[in-house]
Amino acid sequence: MRHFRSVNIIFVLWNCIQNVKPVANYDDHNATVLQNENGMLRQSILEEMLSTYDKRFPPHYNDVIPVKVKVQMYVLSVFEIDASEMTFSISMFLRQEWVDRRLQFETKDNLLNISLDNEITKEIWVPDLAFTSDTHTYFHELTRPNRLMIIYPNGKVVYSIRVTGKFTCFMDLTKFPFDEQRCPIELESYGFTNSIISFQWTEPAAAFRDDVKHSQFELGETQSYTRNLTYSTGTYSSIGVTLMFIRRYEFYLIQIYAPSVLVVMLSWLSFWLDVDAIPARISLGILTVLTISSNGNMSVSMAQRVSYIRAIDIWNSVCLILVFCAVMEYAYVCVSVRVHQRRKSETSSSDIEICNNNKQMKHGFQTEKQSERSYDQLERETARTVDKISRVAFPLVFFIFNCVYWLYYMT
């Protein structure tokens, strides 16, 4: 009896399992059928839609109302900001959005939108948006053309393409290396006037990916604008966005400004050396002048050569003038002492000749010799006084120049 009951229990459990499996199979079957129906629904909608669609004509082509196209740029990277060529390069997603009533369809079975393949995208009309400030632009084609198009039931079309281009930017380097460059990117319709197509920005006009950075510039705020441009063929809708690039100047502080300050301060050491230390003072002066000159040449090679004066040119020029004036100060002191010594030697030789002719003037000669010594001490004291004044005047002038320079260019 026990064996018979065990067999009955196993039989009941087996029947339960068999009854559960068909339910699962039924759910999977319904999901598969639903997916197939949605796929067939999309295909049937597209086939019916494209059977009467003509991509040669824009929406509202026979109406007075122009097609309103909303545009947005999503910047992926910024690179090659070249001051020598006055260009910059960026890679971005160029997004466009408009409404085409010919693409409207009824919503069925929670079908919210239809994503199109690249081949089908070729059968849909798209705006002829063109860059007017670029020198070279290309669309990404790997592994397939980087294009996206989504159609919504109300006829709204979302179109996105990946673009990389090099754009012109007329940079003002007057405040280099503390400059801020504003570079525009302008777009407009190439073949349709503003009576057919009207472009507008979707704010923010230029959105940046979180990790977008540049080694030499910081990205500032963007400014968008919309305008109409009139040519001989008509008036066209144009939009533009201005990107701000703020230069990072830490590199120039370390490589240009800090060494210049040290060299200028080094030139002041000659004011503490003795007047008779001719080799030391001359060597120090020549060394500082040559160092400042080479430092200025290095700063010129770091940026585009322009015909106007830049901030870094003013700095290098003032540092060179201060170092050169330090050399001239010693030249003035040295020449004044040498001239006095030459005059003293000439006076002494004439006095000796007069003394030999007249022995009685010996006492007067000794008195005059003592006065010459006191005059020599006076000349040396004058030279030391010039050095003492220079010890204060040169640092003071350099300090005032720094205050004016940094307040002007940093504010």
Side-chain angles (χ1 to χ4, degrees):
M1 292 295 292
R2 293 179 180 177
H3 179 71
F4 180 74
R5 291 178 181 177
S6 300
V7 172
N8 288 336
I9 293 173
I10 294 173
F11 181 75
V12 171
L13 292 176
W14 176 257
N15 287 333
C16 293
I17 294 173
Q18 291 296 325
N19 292 331
V20 172
K21 282 185 177 180
V23 175
N25 291 334
Y26 180 76
D27 293 339
D28 294 340
H29 176 71
N30 286 343
T32 304
V33 171
L34 182 60
Q35 292 177 359
N36 292 333
E37 289 180 353
N38 287 338
M40 295 299 294
L41 179 61
R42 292 189 180 94
Q43 182 177 349
S44 61
I45 290 175
L46 289 175
E47 290 178 352
E48 181 181 358
M49 186 186 303
L50 296 178
S51 63
T52 58
Y53 189 86
D54 194 344
K55 67 176 182 180
R56 297 177 300 171
F57 305 103
H60 314 297
Y61 190 67
N62 296 323
D63 300 335
V64 182
I65 303 174
V67 182
K68 294 182 180 180
V69 181
K70 297 181 180 180
V71 184
Q72 186 185 46
M73 295 189 310
Y74 184 75
V75 180
L76 302 174
S77 61
V78 180
F79 52 96
E80 291 185 5
I81 302 177
D82 193 348
S84 60
E85 296 184 359
M86 297 293 178
T87 59
F88 69 100
S89 300
I90 63 173
S91 180
M92 61 181 170
F93 292 144
L94 182 62
R95 298 168 177 171
Q96 303 176 61
E97 179 183 322
W98 67 93
V99 176
D100 192 343
R101 293 180 297 181
R102 297 173 296 178
L103 299 177
Q104 293 178 350
F105 61 90
E106 295 182 3
T107 304
K108 297 179 180 179
D109 298 330
N110 296 325
L111 183 61
L112 301 180
N113 56 65
I114 300 177
S115 299
L116 303 185
D117 184 76
N118 285 319
E119 298 299 326
I120 304 178
T121 303
K122 297 178 182 179
E123 304 299 325
I124 305 298
W125 177 88
V126 295
D128 61 338
L129 188 62
F131 292 99
T132 59
S133 59
D134 66 319
T135 59
H136 176 69
T137 306
Y138 65 91
F139 301 98
H140 292 258
E141 302 287 340
L142 193 68
T143 57
R144 296 195 64 188
N146 296 173
R147 293 180 175 90
L148 176 145
M149 180 175 284
I150 301 176
I151 299 177
Y152 291 87
N154 61 350
K156 185 178 74 171
V157 181
V158 176
Y159 182 58
S160 176
I161 54 177
R162 186 182 177 187
V163 184
T164 296
K166 179 182 289 187
F167 303 89
T168 58
C169 179
F170 299 101
M171 302 181 184
D172 183 11
L173 301 177
T174 304
K175 293 187 176 182
F176 176 85
F178 311 106
D179 53 325
E180 298 178 357
Q181 302 301 333
R182 290 172 171 82
C183 300
I185 299 178
E186 296 183 346
L187 308 94
E188 65 181 42
S189 174
Y190 191 83
F192 295 102
T193 60
N194 59 354
S195 62
I196 300 177
I197 298 180
S198 176
F199 290 107
Q200 300 175 353
W201 283 114
T202 298
E203 297 297 338
F208 293 88
R209 196 166 63 177
D210 294 336
D211 58 347
V212 174
K213 294 181 180 179
H214 194 271
S215 59
Q216 297 183 14
F217 290 87
E218 294 181 357
L219 302 178
E221 297 181 355
T222 60
Q223 295 180 350
S224 60
Y225 56 89
T226 303
R227 59 181 178 176
N228 292 323
L229 298 178
T230 302
Y231 301 97
S232 59
T233 56
T235 303
Y236 297 82
S237 177
S238 175
I239 57 176
V241 59
T242 302
L243 306 181
M244 179 181 292
F245 301 121
I246 305 172
R247 190 184 301 273
R248 300 176 184 269
Y249 52 81
E250 291 83 0
F251 171 80
Y252 300 94
L253 292 179
I254 297 173
Q255 297 294 329
I256 301 297
Y257 288 90
S260 299
V261 172
L262 296 178
V263 172
V264 172
M265 296 176 65
L266 183 63
S267 66
W268 301 339
L269 294 179
S270 63
F271 304 145
W272 274 265
L273 298 178
D274 190 75
V275 178
D276 296 329
I278 298 176
R281 299 189 70 162
I282 291 180
S283 300
L284 184 61
I286 295 176
L287 177 63
T288 53
V289 170
L290 292 178
T291 304
I292 286 293
S293 300
S294 61
N295 197 40
N297 294 332
M298 183 178 67
S299 65
V300 170
S301 63
M302 290 182 178
Q304 171 65 11
R305 297 179 181 178
V306 294
S307 59
Y308 49 84
I309 299 176
R310 303 168 301 174
I312 199 169
D313 297 330
I314 296 176
W315 174 269
N316 291 328
S317 300
V318 172
C319 290
L320 181 60
I321 291 173
L322 290 175
V323 172
F324 181 76
C325 288
V327 177
M328 290 296 100
E329 186 272 345
Y330 174 67
Y332 169 77
V333 171
C334 185
V335 168
S336 62
V337 173
R338 289 296 183 89
V339 168
H340 168 66
Q341 291 178 352
R342 189 184 308 113
R343 290 178 180 176
K344 184 180 69 173
S345 61
E346 293 176 356
T347 305
S348 299
S349 60
S350 61
D351 288 341
I352 292 173
E353 184 179 354
I354 295 173
C355 184
N356 290 330
N357 296 330
N358 191 0
K359 299 293 184 180
Q360 297 177 356
M361 297 179 63
K362 184 176 180 181
H363 179 71
F365 174 74
Q366 293 178 351
T367 305
E368 188 174 357
K369 190 174 182 180
Q370 294 176 355
S371 63
E372 286 292 336
R373 287 199 192 97
S374 62
Y375 184 73
D376 181 54
Q377 294 177 356
L378 181 62
E379 285 295 327
R380 287 185 171 275
E381 191 64 29
T382 302
R384 294 191 183 95
T385 303
V386 174
D387 283 341
K388 291 179 181 180
I389 294 175
S390 300
R391 295 173 189 174
V392 178
F394 276 75
L396 181 61
V397 171
F398 191 59
F399 175 77
I400 295 175
F401 165 71
N402 272 271
C403 293
V404 175
Y405 183 88
W406 295 109
L407 286 176
Y408 178 78
Y409 287 108
M410 300 301 291
T411 56

